[in-house]
Amino acid sequence: MTTMYINKIIESIDSNIAYSPIVFFSLLILAGLNVPISEDAIVLMGGILSSRKNEYTILIFLGIFWGAYLGDIISFYIGKLMGNKLFKNKKVNNLLDKINYYYGQYGVLTLFIGRFIPFGVRNAIFISAGMGNMKSNLFIVSDFFATLLSTIVYFTLSFKLGQSFEIIFSKIKIIIFTIFITVIATTIIICVIKKNKKVDKNLK
């Protein structure tokens, strides 16, 4: 029964996989607007889905890449146009100050390193770049390659994870089926033994 329900869930996801590039793209645009959506979770889901349906791999990757990249640009311009008005919280300002320090020390390299840091740090990096003195053209070009690199790395890892999950899941299904058959067989044997004992008692 458990296997049947798991299969139904997977079949439901697979049947709607064609919409996933648009869904992932839209969610990442929202993330760029500072809606609390995890880019890492989306890349993980995208890679795992792609490993199940290889024909959608390129579309899913492109949906994730362009969503993440345009989301970064949105965050940059939020910082550039509205940063000083929106971010008056001391904790936020301290984080932005630290990031600005790293921009001063390491320049564009901060973008490449920051793209691999999850938990909201990415958006802070892009916003602080907008609030600082980084030119729009430099950010747009640099972040294109930083996003491409981080997306390829994370997407490839999650794709491999999905392939491993397929192997593990197929083994789990065999284990579940084996346990199910064993339980049924054991139950039948116990019932037969009990029945035979009753027959023996009646004969005595």
Side-chain angles (χ1 to χ4, degrees):
M1 290 293 287
T2 306
T3 307
M4 184 178 72
Y5 286 126
I6 292 170
N7 283 333
K8 280 186 177 179
I9 292 167
I10 290 170
E11 283 170 13
S12 175
I13 293 169
D14 286 346
S15 64
N16 294 293
I17 197 172
Y19 302 105
S20 61
I22 298 166
V23 172
F24 292 149
F25 176 84
S26 303
L27 288 172
L28 288 166
I29 292 295
L30 290 173
L33 291 164
N34 280 306
V35 175
I37 296 169
S38 171
E39 179 181 315
D40 303 281
I42 290 169
V43 177
L44 180 66
M45 285 189 286
I48 290 172
L49 282 176
S50 299
S51 70
R52 291 186 52 75
K53 297 279 185 178
N54 290 339
E55 62 269 29
Y56 290 99
T57 299
I58 293 173
L59 287 175
I60 290 173
F61 176 81
L62 289 174
I64 289 171
F65 166 73
W66 285 109
Y69 177 54
L70 294 176
D72 293 355
I73 293 172
I74 289 169
S75 290
F76 175 81
Y77 277 102
I78 285 173
K80 200 170 190 67
L81 302 174
M82 299 178 286
N84 293 322
K85 294 178 182 178
L86 291 176
F87 303 104
K88 294 178 180 179
N89 184 293
K90 282 187 178 181
K91 286 184 179 179
V92 174
N93 285 332
N94 286 338
L95 177 61
L96 293 173
D97 287 341
K98 284 181 182 178
I99 294 168
N100 281 325
Y101 168 78
Y102 286 116
Y103 271 123
Q105 291 290 312
Y106 307 106
V108 171
L109 186 61
T110 308
L111 273 180
F112 283 84
I113 296 169
R115 265 239 128 257
F116 288 90
I117 304 173
F119 309 121
V121 175
R122 291 191 190 99
N123 276 24
I125 287 171
F126 310 139
I127 288 168
S128 63
M131 291 172 70
N133 296 320
M134 182 174 281
K135 293 181 179 178
S136 299
N137 291 342
L138 177 61
F139 177 85
I140 289 168
V141 173
S142 302
D143 190 62
F144 177 87
F145 293 105
T147 307
L148 185 62
L149 177 63
S150 65
T151 306
I152 287 172
V153 170
Y154 283 133
F155 190 84
T156 303
L157 289 173
S158 58
F159 186 90
K160 296 292 183 185
L161 179 66
Q163 288 180 323
S164 301
F165 179 77
E166 280 291 302
I167 296 166
I168 293 165
F169 184 70
S170 63
K171 289 179 180 177
I172 288 171
K173 286 197 287 187
I174 293 166
I175 292 165
I176 291 170
F177 181 73
T178 305
I179 292 168
F180 181 69
I181 294 297
T182 305
V183 169
I184 290 173
T186 305
T187 305
I188 292 168
I189 290 166
I190 290 168
C191 288
V192 169
I193 290 168
K194 283 183 178 180
K195 209 170 188 180
N196 287 337
K197 281 182 178 179
K198 284 181 180 178
V199 170
D200 289 341
K201 281 180 182 180
N202 290 334
L203 287 172
K204 288 177 181 178

